[in-house]
Amino acid sequence: MAECRGGRAVVIGGGYIGMETAAALVANRVKVTMVFPEQHCMARLFTPEIAAFYEEYYKKRGVEFIKGTVMSSFESDAEKKITAIVLKDNRQIKADMVVVGIGIRANVGLFEGQLILEKGGIKVNGKMQTSNPSVYAVGDVVAFPLKLYGDVRRLEHVDHARKSAAHAVEAIMSPEKVQDYDYLPFFYSRVFTLSWQFYGDNVGKCVLFGNPEVQKFGAFWVDKGILMGAFLEGGNKDEYLRLGTLARLRPPVKDIEMLAKEGLAYPFFPDVKGKAPSFSPDLSVTERSQVLLDTPPSYILQLSAGIAAAVGISMVAVWYAKKRRRW
């Protein structure tokens, strides 16, 4: 980047790596053209509406987008330095440097015939153990049981890489104490003055909320009446914590229009005949507390009244027992 300042870079790929690299290049005073085959950036996660916000933001910072095509070859000078790329339709784009971020295949060839492979990765159990119990695997290369959704997946993100590694160490050091890996899919990005986080699964209907014009908006994915995924741009620490809690709890959503209007303020845990909100059995104490804090006050009052009544009854019982002993 330092050698290319004032020059032009072409970024091949409009996914996670492409978007973050393009932002870094612009910050280092390099003009950027992005080329990718999809109709919008971050196609694996973003809807067209979400992508439109980020593409417009990048355009205002000088980034050009060429969509719906791919690169076919490089052009270089006598010293083999890149001078341009050639697209599939024979267009040439001048470039002083090229960044190719088009996805990966997990490098698991070394283990073929030695370990069981699945979904392009090394199959592991909830302790990060492979088919050979003395071999553990972590990070992008593993296909692991995603407990929350009851299937096996391979995820490529630093958060999973770190947490799966820590879990493997715990399983090796204290196998009798460690529970199965219970990961909530999580992705985030921070570029320019933007910052977004996503939790859960982007399946079902996407419901947008908030105001992109002030760089604060989000989306929920609702499948068969259940909230499955949650995305937020421009949130604070408490809002992101709530986002993750909702994605793990997967509360029911009965009113899509109200959800779009209220966003995070939507009453996910309404007071229904005094019943408490339902919790996942594996939810941490911190997450349970957060849910209670976010529950409508009427339920909290009933909960407090119930606790007070229980304490009162206990005190009466103790007093009565002491009195009987005196009799």
Side-chain angles (χ1 to χ4, degrees):
M1 288 187 190
E3 294 178 1
C4 195
R5 281 179 182 166
R8 177 170 290 279
V10 174
V11 175
I12 307 297
Y16 196 87
I17 296 298
M19 294 296 285
E20 291 209 334
T21 303
L25 286 161
V26 171
N28 282 271
R29 301 195 299 278
V30 180
K31 295 179 181 179
V32 176
T33 299
M34 296 188 70
V35 178
F36 48 85
E38 298 86 5
Q39 294 305 307
H40 61 80
C41 68
M42 292 285 291
R44 289 170 62 182
L45 174 59
F46 290 173
T47 65
E49 294 81 6
I50 295 174
F53 166 80
Y54 292 97
E55 289 183 12
E56 186 61 29
Y57 190 98
Y58 274 57
K59 287 176 183 177
K60 289 178 179 178
R61 279 148 184 79
V63 177
E64 297 178 12
F65 289 91
I66 298 177
K67 309 175 192 179
T69 189
V70 295
M71 183 192 78
S72 62
S73 63
F74 295 105
E75 293 287 335
S76 57
D77 59 20
E79 298 176 353
K80 296 186 178 181
K81 186 181 184 305
I82 293 291
T83 58
I85 66 162
V86 181
L87 301 180
K88 192 174 182 180
D89 58 11
N90 293 321
R91 280 185 291 170
Q92 284 195 0
I93 310 296
K94 291 184 178 180
D96 299 300
M97 67 177 290
V98 179
V99 179
V100 182
I102 56 175
I104 66 163
R105 289 194 182 101
N107 187 5
V108 296
L110 175 65
F111 308 105
E112 289 181 3
Q114 301 185 75
L115 301 176
I116 293 177
L117 306 180
E118 185 173 335
K119 294 190 175 181
I122 302 167
K123 184 177 181 180
V124 297
N125 62 18
K127 306 293 191 296
M128 297 292 123
Q129 281 178 302
T130 68
S131 54
N132 181 333
S134 65
V135 178
Y136 292 73
V138 302
D140 294 4
V141 299
V142 301
F144 67 97
L146 195 54
K147 191 174 180 180
L148 192 61
Y149 304 122
D151 63 2
V152 174
R153 297 191 191 181
R154 191 173 65 81
L155 298 178
E156 301 166 8
H157 194 272
V158 62
D159 181 70
H160 161 60
R162 289 170 175 164
K163 289 178 179 176
S164 61
H167 191 80
V169 171
E170 188 178 358
I172 293 167
M173 300 299 290
S174 305
E176 70 288 347
K177 295 180 180 179
V178 69
Q179 300 295 315
D180 283 346
Y181 189 50
D182 187 15
Y183 185 70
L184 172 66
F186 168 57
F187 301 91
Y188 70 89
S189 182
R190 292 187 292 269
V191 296
F192 299 119
T193 60
L194 304 175
S195 176
W196 60 260
Q197 293 188 16
F198 169 82
Y199 293 87
D201 206 3
N202 60 328
V203 295
K205 179 180 177 61
C206 180
V207 182
L208 297 171
F209 64 89
N211 186 359
E213 292 183 5
V214 297
Q215 296 181 24
K216 180 133 186 203
F217 69 99
F220 292 113
W221 281 261
V222 180
D223 189 37
K224 299 176 183 177
I226 301 297
L227 186 145
M228 298 297 292
F231 167 91
L232 183 62
E233 165 64 48
N236 58 41
K237 184 178 179 181
D238 290 339
E239 289 169 332
Y240 287 136
L241 175 62
R242 179 167 168 75
L243 209 68
T245 301
L246 290 171
R248 182 174 285 280
L249 285 172
R250 292 182 292 170
V253 176
K254 296 182 179 180
D255 191 332
I256 294 293
E257 291 185 4
M258 184 179 178
L259 179 64
K261 181 180 178 181
E262 299 291 337
L264 283 170
Y266 180 86
F268 291 101
F269 305 102
D271 178 11
V272 182
K273 296 182 181 179
K275 293 182 180 179
S278 59
F279 295 104
S280 166
D282 298 316
L283 202 62
S284 71
V285 173
T286 301
E287 289 171 326
R288 288 171 185 260
S289 299
Q290 184 65 29
V291 172
L292 290 176
L293 288 172
D294 292 334
T295 304
S298 57
Y299 172 72
I300 297 298
L301 289 173
Q302 291 182 5
L303 180 65
S304 301
I307 293 171
V311 171
I313 292 169
S314 299
M315 291 176 69
V316 170
V318 171
W319 172 81
Y320 181 72
K322 289 181 178 178
K323 192 168 184 178
R324 283 197 64 182
R325 283 199 294 271
R326 286 201 298 270
W327 291 347

